[in-house]
């Protein structure tokens, strides 16, 4: 059996949490990540027949039965993941009943997966139904994106449009736009269901006055999505109170999207 601390999927997870913390997206225990792992690959590092303990999830995730996920622990600090992944992370498998998680590794101090597991697993199910390549769900509290929530209308079209105007790359990186949910109680099945419903249409979902969710096929792609939104939100927050002299016009956004051949939300432009 190979040493799991050498596993590329663990190293990449640790590097990602380190970067997210460095950028100020994950204060204290803020944020959580789940990565769907390849069973064969994990089998090189762990005995998949050895279940350390079982933990009820409180919701039905039948389409994910037998799937393995690496998930951040609830109450755990991104700051600490790299130094002690076995305490701050866990590898779970969705058991045959669809409502129990089998712990295969991690949560060494007796902990458990993030309180946002409903939003994560329900988003995995929603994304896999429209994109079979999806592996990642990432949640965090990026500073400027959050600041923008307080001074900008929480309307999907308007929020997306403003961000598209802030950097030339935005409409190319997230042509499908950003879904927006109003403030809701976090950690519940209800916010999980609302997030998953948006995820059928969007790869980015803002939780009003809380943070953002991003999804993708790998950690780099998902990180890059949120990073691009956050950069655009930063430009917005640096300029929102100043007279606007220049902007990228809607016909220019259309030209960009067409030049890059992306399938963009035409109804989010005012042409
Ligand atoms: P957890 O510590 O349970 O992951 O919660 C952090 C968070 O960001 C809640 O939305
Ligand atoms: Zn949060």
């Amino acid at each position: 059996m190979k040493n799991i601390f050498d596993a590329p999927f663990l190293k990449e997870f640790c590097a990602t949490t380190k970067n997210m913390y460095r950028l100020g997206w994950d204060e204290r225990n803020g944020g959580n990540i789940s990565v769907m792992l390849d069973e064969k690959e994990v089998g090189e590092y762990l005995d998949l027949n050895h279940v350390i303990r079982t933990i009820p999830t409180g919701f039905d995730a039948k389409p994910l039965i037998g799937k393995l996920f690496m998930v951040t622990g609830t109450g755990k600090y991104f700051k600490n993941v790299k130094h002690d992944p076995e305490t701050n992370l866990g590898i779970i498998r969705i058991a045959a009943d669809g409502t129990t998680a089998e712990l295969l590794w991690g949560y060494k101090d007796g902990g458990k997966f993030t309180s946002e597991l409903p939003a994560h697993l329900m988003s995995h199910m929603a994304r896999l139904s429209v994109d079979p390549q999806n592996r990642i769900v990432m949640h965090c509290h990026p500073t400027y994106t959050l600041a923008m929530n307080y001074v900008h209308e929480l309307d999907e079209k308007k929020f997306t449009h403003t961000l598209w105007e802030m950097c030339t790359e935005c409409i190319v990186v997230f042509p499908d736009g950003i879904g927006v949910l109003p403030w809701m109680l976090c950690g519940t099945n209800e916010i999980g269901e609302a997030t998953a419903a948006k995820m059928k249409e969007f790869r980015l979902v803002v939780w009003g006055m809380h943070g953002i969710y991003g999804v993708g096929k790998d950690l780099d792609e998902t990180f890059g999505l949120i990073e691009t939104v956050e950069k655009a939100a930063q430009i917005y927050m640096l300029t929102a109170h100043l007279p606007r002299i220049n902007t990228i016009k809607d016909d220019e956004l259309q030209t960009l999207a067409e030049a890059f051949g992306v399938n963009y939300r035409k109804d989010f432009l005012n042409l």
Side-chain angles (χ1 to χ4, degrees):
M1 203 64 72
K2 294 194 214 167
N3 182 350
I4 192 158
F5 295 101
D6 297 329
F9 58 80
L10 178 58
K11 286 185 171 177
E12 197 191 358
F13 198 114
C14 291
T16 303
T17 53
K18 190 178 170 198
N19 263 326
M20 293 171 76
Y21 177 70
R22 177 179 63 77
L23 291 165
W25 301 355
D26 298 278
E27 75 292 342
R28 200 175 183 275
N29 64 310
N32 20 77
I33 304 177
S34 59
V35 175
M36 197 167 106
L37 299 173
D38 180 63
E39 189 183 334
K40 243 191 175 161
E41 195 180 352
V42 180
E44 295 174 22
Y45 300 91
L46 296 177
D47 174 1
L48 299 179
N49 294 315
H50 181 237
V51 175
I52 299 169
R53 54 194 158 97
T54 56
I55 314 169
T57 65
F59 61 95
D60 188 1
K62 275 206 178 63
L64 300 177
I65 289 171
K67 300 283 187 212
L68 269 60
F69 294 90
M70 178 170 271
V71 187
T72 48
T74 186
K76 300 299 190 233
Y77 293 25
F78 272 36
K79 173 173 82 67
N80 298 336
V81 169
K82 197 171 193 319
H83 304 294
D84 187 1
E86 199 171 357
T87 301
N88 293 292
L89 308 177
I91 295 178
I92 57 169
R93 178 172 56 208
I94 306 306
D97 63 1
T99 62
T100 305
E102 298 172 330
L103 181 64
L104 301 177
W105 177 84
Y107 307 141
K108 204 174 68 174
D109 61 353
K112 62 182 252 182
F113 42 74
T114 173
S115 59
E116 306 296 3
L117 196 74
H120 280 257
L121 293 193
M122 291 178 194
S123 293
H124 277 285
M125 292 190 267
R127 281 314 295 175
L128 287 168
S129 71
V130 293
D131 174 14
Q133 303 292 318
N134 197 81
R135 295 287 175 274
I136 315 291
V137 175
M138 182 182 282
H139 165 60
C140 56
H141 307 159
T143 312
Y144 293 95
T145 306
L146 200 43
M148 189 173 161
N149 276 223
Y150 291 87
V151 298
H152 193 285
E153 276 176 82
L154 291 177
D155 169 89
E156 277 159 5
K157 175 177 173 174
K158 290 179 183 163
F159 201 88
T160 300
H161 188 270
T162 296
L163 292 176
W164 280 353
E165 286 179 308
M166 292 300 122
C167 306
T168 293
E169 65 175 326
C170 282
I171 197 168
V172 179
V173 174
F174 52 94
D176 40 350
I178 304 180
V180 178
L181 289 177
W183 185 91
M184 290 177 76
L185 182 61
C186 56
T188 61
N189 287 352
E190 288 70 31
I191 201 169
E193 284 154 12
T195 308
K198 293 285 179 200
M199 286 293 183
K200 294 223 163 146
E201 202 181 331
F202 301 102
R203 291 172 301 147
L204 288 157
V205 178
V206 162
W207 278 8
M209 279 79 72
H210 180 138
I212 193 164
Y213 269 76
V215 296
K217 67 177 184 313
D218 57 39
L219 281 166
D220 258 1
E221 180 186 277
T222 313
F223 178 91
L225 267 180
I226 295 176
E227 188 180 30
T228 307
V229 169
E230 175 64 351
K231 177 64 177 275
Q234 182 175 8
I235 309 286
Y236 176 75
M237 292 308 297
L238 288 170
T239 56
H241 56 294
L242 300 172
R244 178 88 71 90
I245 295 172
N246 301 306
T247 197
I248 309 173
K249 299 181 191 74
D250 279 31
D251 65 307
E252 292 168 333
L253 290 169
Q254 182 186 34
T255 303
L256 250 172
E258 282 168 11
F260 282 84
V262 292
N263 187 16
Y264 65 107
R265 283 292 296 253
K266 296 180 184 61
D267 58 324
F268 282 7
L269 291 180
N270 302 306
L271 290 166

